[in-house]
Amino acid sequence: MGQVQTDQQRHQYLQAMGIQTWSLRQPQSRPADETLTPTDADARQTMQTESIVVQANEPSVVATDWAGLKAEVSACSRCELCQQRSQTVFGTGNRQADWLVIGEAPGTEEDVQGEPFMGPSGKLLNQMLLAVGLKREDVYIANIVKCRPANDRDPRAAEAAACEPYLKQQIALIQPKLIFAMGRIAAQNLLQSDQKVGDMRGQKFAYGDSKTALIVSYHPAYLLRMPSAKRKAWQDLLFARRVINNE
Ligand code: URA
């Protein structure tokens, strides 16, 4: 699924993410991820690998196949977000993906194009994925809510709850090895928690009955505002890759 990537390519992707990189003199003698940043090894030690089990709520009845689910979402009027959307933003990518990346809500660009993460956040997300050897098409990308909230406000709890059965059904269909929850809205809704992203990072949660591994990281929009956090996001991506690889 992930493509083979040279150190030079990864160096370029990390630079595109805005992360300063360098290589050890004998990189072939180390695992690839230790040739990149000084803090990865520290992150490996500090990040917990024990699962923290979180129970997801019972799903409401929704279509159980992709076509039916997509049609149901397109016609959805479960919450007031339906009133101002141009279209629903269902999700995109590989329906057999190991990685399910979950953001918050469609923004202006996504509302127009009907696909998640198409604007500046999406460009950074693409670079972040490439940095761990993944193309956008390798993963599945979805949001907590499928309609754009007016003025790009945070989705409300009731809106997230109304949309939750759709996301749950997507998760059931994809059966990803890992959910990568980006940002406060994604993490708090998926984990039914009010913890801060910074406090949830570095832990491997287990989502729902399937106990799907779930890792929390920063939202790309936050990383664009706070480039100094990109290094932590990079650590999260490496952590997620180790979890997927059972390392
Ligand atoms: N931010 C998100 O959380 N999701 C998108 O689809 C776009 C921006």
Side-chain angles (χ1 to χ4, degrees):
M1 177 156 299
Q3 65 199 14
V4 176
Q5 195 180 65
T6 64
D7 280 352
Q8 193 189 1
Q9 281 171 321
R10 192 158 9 176
H11 172 80
Q12 283 165 358
Y13 298 141
L14 283 165
Q15 288 224 312
M17 270 180 74
I19 293 177
Q20 185 66 41
T21 67
W22 61 90
S23 295
L24 297 177
R25 285 198 196 98
Q26 295 171 304
Q28 67 277 19
S29 65
R30 299 283 187 107
D33 63 357
E34 289 184 8
T35 65
L36 292 165
T37 67
T39 49
D40 297 344
D42 299 344
R44 190 187 306 252
Q45 278 169 3
T46 55
M47 289 189 167
Q48 286 178 228
T49 50
E50 266 182 37
S51 289
I52 296 168
V53 178
V54 176
Q55 284 304 324
N57 296 331
E58 287 300 307
S60 311
V61 177
V62 287
T64 52
D65 64 296
W66 281 108
L69 187 62
K70 197 164 182 183
E72 198 168 326
V73 167
S74 306
C76 181
S77 57
R78 288 181 180 220
C79 79
E80 66 180 37
L81 293 184
C82 68
Q83 290 162 12
Q84 287 171 344
R85 70 180 179 223
S86 304
Q87 59 188 313
T88 54
V89 178
F90 181 69
T92 190
N94 179 355
R95 292 175 175 178
Q96 277 98 42
D98 287 345
W99 292 65
L100 171 58
V101 176
I102 301 183
E104 178 178 322
T108 317
E109 197 71 30
E110 293 77 21
D111 180 64
V112 170
Q113 299 201 38
E115 186 169 326
F117 284 97
M118 297 304 288
S121 294
K123 289 201 178 72
L124 179 57
L125 174 60
N126 294 348
Q127 294 298 341
M128 290 165 65
L129 292 171
L130 283 170
V132 282
L134 294 165
K135 294 197 290 283
R136 181 180 168 94
E137 311 80 69
D138 292 332
V139 306
Y140 197 88
I141 306 174
N143 283 311
I144 292 293
V145 295
K146 311 233 177 289
C147 300
R148 178 188 171 220
N151 304 318
D152 297 322
R153 64 163 169 77
D154 290 349
R156 300 193 176 109
E159 293 158 353
C163 221
E164 188 184 28
Y166 301 132
L167 184 57
K168 277 191 177 160
Q169 196 56 50
Q170 287 176 304
I171 295 170
L173 286 165
I174 298 165
Q175 298 186 330
K177 285 190 181 162
L178 179 120
I179 297 171
F180 196 70
M182 300 190 304
R184 181 179 66 83
I185 298 291
Q188 290 186 347
N189 278 291
L190 289 164
L191 297 176
Q192 300 292 299
S193 164
D194 57 5
Q195 277 190 289
K196 292 178 180 168
V197 169
D199 295 336
M200 289 188 266
R201 286 185 56 248
Q203 303 175 55
K204 182 176 123 187
F205 296 92
Y207 174 83
D209 293 340
S210 58
K211 299 195 170 25
T212 307
L214 186 153
I215 286 174
V216 174
S217 189
Y218 294 111
H219 193 284
Y222 173 79
L223 298 175
L224 289 171
R225 292 195 303 274
M226 194 68 72
S228 59
K230 286 182 180 174
R231 190 169 289 272
K232 289 182 181 167
W234 166 238
Q235 290 168 356
D236 299 336
L237 287 164
L238 293 179
F239 180 40
R241 191 171 61 177
R242 287 200 301 279
V243 167
I244 287 218
N245 293 337
N246 291 316
E247 288 169 11

